[in-house]
Amino acid sequence: MKYDLAVIGGGPGGYTAADAAAKAGLSVVLFEKDQLGGTCLNRGCIPTKALLHAADTWRALNGAGPLGLRAGGAAFDWAAIQDYKTRTVDTLRQGVRRLMQAGGVTVVQGAAQVAAEGVVLCGGTRYEVSDIIAAAGAVPALPPIPGRELPGVYTSDDLLAGGGKALASLVIVGGGVIGVEMAGVYSAFGCRVTILELADRLLPTMDRELGQRLAAALKKQGVAVSTKAAVQQISQTEGGLLVQYADAKGNAAGVRAQGVLIAAGRRPAAEGLFARDYRPELERGGIPADAAGRTGLPHLYVIGDARAGSIQLAHLAEAQGKNAVAAILGRPLPVDTSLVPACVYTTPEIASVGMTEAGAKAAGIPVRCGKALSGANGRCVIAGADAGFVKLVCRADTGRLLGAQLCWPRATDLIGELALAVQHGLTAADLAGLIHPHPTFAEGIRAAAEQIG
């Protein structure tokens, strides 16, 4: 079988690339060994956010007393919540399938392997192609913690599969995005949750204040948070799983729970993707590539989580997919991938784009910052939002926006305005001079810009 392009992996990057190539007139075959939609749709972004929506609704229902509302006899049904999650995933998965059908993309179910230049093998069939885009995604990373193989120790894939796991208590090893979002889900439904994070704060790759504010919010929701906690061992006891760790002072400590979630991030899934005698060099398990996705092998491109050094975000994978197809077609790259918004769907939401204050200062850039607090925003007060902020980081000399960090209701929706502002070199004065409707959460952007002047 002959095609212009083979795409290996049907996640956001893969199916976006396949769709873009098909619309450009290329014949495309897409290989997916599991379900269309990849990690994001089936085991990550979408099911997690569906559960978080249910959790936020349940919190709002139980916290409606100050509004004069009473919900007598309110109850939650874990199985029904899981059904809602599954229906959401199924609906979107069918949408991806229809998208591929509409574009004339051939979808092949099975594990594909690049055997040689322009040759892909799958299910005993040989496919000859002009170009290949590898979009193999990632799998949960499992640090070498003794006891990680015990029953009751899970990855995020495990907790999101099928009907999930209804747990009375849960220890989460890792305070990154996966860990804090799963903490939000389980704590909302009465589970006793403890987060153990090795770094000195939650969300250690983001601005320090974001992690600090989130830790305070989670503690208010009943989540126990321990930072500088080095997990040493997991063992089975009569009282449940025991997680032993060294605390911030180096003292031995332990916490028992019904389940343990290992949330130490994800690693590139490049195993088995290439034949033994035809494979690119790897960096920390990922495939190195240039801005267009070109690898060291001819006509082989890589996008998404399998790419070395790439931020593992669905929207970045989609952008990389569009750029790879453009490069194959000999066209300019359509998307600037140097500026990638990051979002965390906790309560409150977290979002960030561009440079932080600390990052700018480390780079020797003089900055001025403006901050708006939720207590002064009418919509935040109406919604009963926890303490939060919108922070803008601007050059001190020109006022040009360099970055923004939000711990704010609907932060994940608002960050797009700020990403556009950074990309197009807008200033604090430009943002302050834009009329934002009142009362809205978006007024926090204008208020922060006005602090800079």
Side-chain angles (χ1 to χ4, degrees), residues 8 113-119 130-134 273-282 287-290 292-302 328:
I8 303 177
Q113 184 179 75
V114 181
E117 181 180 341
V119 178
S130 299
D131 292 281
I132 300 169
I133 295 178
L273 186 57
F274 299 95
R276 185 169 300 178
D277 57 351
Y278 187 81
R279 62 179 63 189
E281 294 294 326
L282 300 182
I287 306 169
D290 66 10
R294 298 183 188 89
T295 69
L297 297 179
H299 299 283
L300 174 68
Y301 296 74
V302 62
I328 289 169

Side-chain angles (χ1 to χ4, degrees), residues 56-229:
D56 288 343
T57 303
W58 180 243
R59 280 199 186 93
L61 184 65
N62 285 284
L67 307 182
L69 304 177
R70 301 289 185 271
F76 71 85
D77 183 331
W78 181 257
I81 293 169
Q82 294 295 322
D83 287 343
Y84 153 69
K85 174 206 72 178
T86 301
R87 290 195 308 273
T88 301
V89 171
D90 287 345
T91 297
L92 293 172
R93 189 189 297 138
Q94 289 303 315
V96 175
R97 185 167 296 280
R98 287 193 295 271
L99 180 67
M100 296 298 94
Q101 291 172 344
V105 176
T106 300
V107 177
V108 177
Q109 184 82 31
Q113 184 179 75
V114 181
E117 181 180 341
V119 178
V120 177
L121 303 179
C122 185
T125 301
R126 176 187 175 96
Y127 297 82
E128 296 182 5
V129 299
S130 299
D131 292 281
I132 300 169
I133 295 178
V139 295
L142 293 174
I145 301 172
R148 69 181 186 184
E149 74 289 345
L150 289 171
V153 179
Y154 308 105
T155 66
S156 58
D157 284 4
D158 299 327
L159 291 187
L160 292 170
K165 303 291 180 182
L167 300 168
S169 53
L170 176 67
V171 173
I172 300 176
V173 180
V177 176
I178 295 172
V180 297
E181 288 188 348
M182 293 305 289
V185 170
Y186 274 89
S187 64
F189 297 115
C191 179
R192 178 171 53 83
V193 178
T194 301
I195 297 176
L196 303 177
E197 167 55 48
L198 181 61
D200 63 350
R201 65 187 187 277
L202 299 182
L203 303 177
T205 62
M206 302 182 79
D207 182 77
R208 176 175 295 276
E209 192 173 358
L210 292 175
Q212 292 170 339
R213 287 292 182 101
L214 180 59
L218 287 174
K219 289 176 181 178
K220 188 175 178 181
Q221 295 167 20
V223 177
V225 177
S226 292
T227 55
K228 295 184 180 179

Side-chain angles (χ1 to χ4, degrees), residues 47 49 112 191 266 275 291-292 333-334 342 358 361 391 396 406 452-453:
K49 277 56 176 182
C191 179
R266 302 179 72 87
L333 305 187
K361 289 180 177 178
K391 181 178 180 181
L406 286 71
I452 298 172

Side-chain angles (χ1 to χ4, degrees), residues 246 257 415:
I415 199 66

